[in-house]
Amino acid sequence: MQDNNCIFCKIANGEIPSATLYEDDEFRVILDLGPATKGHALILPKNHYADLYEIDEGTAAKAFVLAKKMVARLTDILGCDGYNVVQNNKEAAGQTVFHFHMHLIPRYKDDKCGFGWKMGKLSDKDKEEILAKLKG
Ligand code: 5GP
Ligand code: ZN
């Protein structure tokens, strides 16, 4: 289940070399070429799924368990103070490589990484609309 035009398929399956932190039958974990902070890594499944909409539940669950293990190990190695685990889906959400991946971004006190968003305020209208649609 690979896509011949997908760079992450080639990296995950070892056709293109990468700085690999971990590998098993289903996943490869690599250092990101454009790191937000020192140690920024990506979890790549070896099979091709474009995004969270496409990935099967079993693989998604394993990816998150692997994220937990990598974050624990890398926190020791890097001496970082925290972690962001980020996963973008579709262009509108900032996805640029359309092969499912999870970002593991180490955070260091005062790293000025700039990752985050401007907080809004939950309106009664949005809250009621969303809850009503979910129940309906
Ligand atoms: P997205 O924006 O799709 O969530 O994240 C794509 C990530 O892949 C970016 O952080 C980018 O730096 C990284 N990236 C893109 N191409 C390559 C590559 O060829 N090798 C590695 N190691 N990272 C890449
Ligand atoms: Zn792929």
Side-chain angles (χ1 to χ4, degrees):
M1 282 220 302
Q2 286 178 49
D3 177 335
N4 288 334
N5 298 315
C6 172
I7 187 166
F8 277 9
C9 277
K10 293 188 171 75
I11 292 174
N13 291 280
E15 279 173 58
I16 294 178
S18 61
T20 296
L21 305 177
Y22 173 85
E23 184 186 3
D24 62 25
D25 287 349
E26 290 184 78
F27 296 97
R28 184 185 294 270
V29 183
I30 63 170
L31 287 176
D32 194 299
L33 276 188
T37 61
K38 181 180 173 182
H40 182 166
L42 301 172
I43 296 182
L44 312 179
K46 291 188 174 179
N47 283 332
H48 181 84
Y49 312 94
D51 50 36
L52 189 63
Y53 298 97
E54 273 194 11
I55 195 168
D56 65 89
E57 289 185 2
T59 308
K62 284 180 191 168
F64 213 85
V65 171
L66 179 55
K68 176 172 171 58
K69 289 180 179 161
M70 293 304 303
V71 162
R73 179 90 177 100
L74 289 169
T75 296
D76 282 348
I77 289 169
L78 296 165
C80 57
D81 302 303
Y83 251 93
N84 291 120
V85 176
V86 181
Q87 201 277 308
N88 301 325
N89 300 283
K90 308 283 186 196
E91 201 176 339
Q95 186 177 10
T96 57
V97 181
F98 297 91
H99 174 122
F100 176 94
H101 53 280
M102 290 171 80
H103 294 262
L104 308 179
I105 305 176
R107 299 303 304 270
Y108 305 88
K109 236 179 205 169
D110 305 321
D111 62 23
K112 298 188 177 64
C113 158
F115 174 79
W117 57 85
K118 190 171 159 285
M119 269 171 46
K121 189 173 184 328
L122 178 62
S123 67
D124 289 341
K125 182 175 166 289
D126 285 355
K127 182 175 67 183
E128 278 152 26
E129 179 194 318
I130 294 162
L131 293 178
K133 280 183 175 166
L134 266 175
K135 285 178 197 155

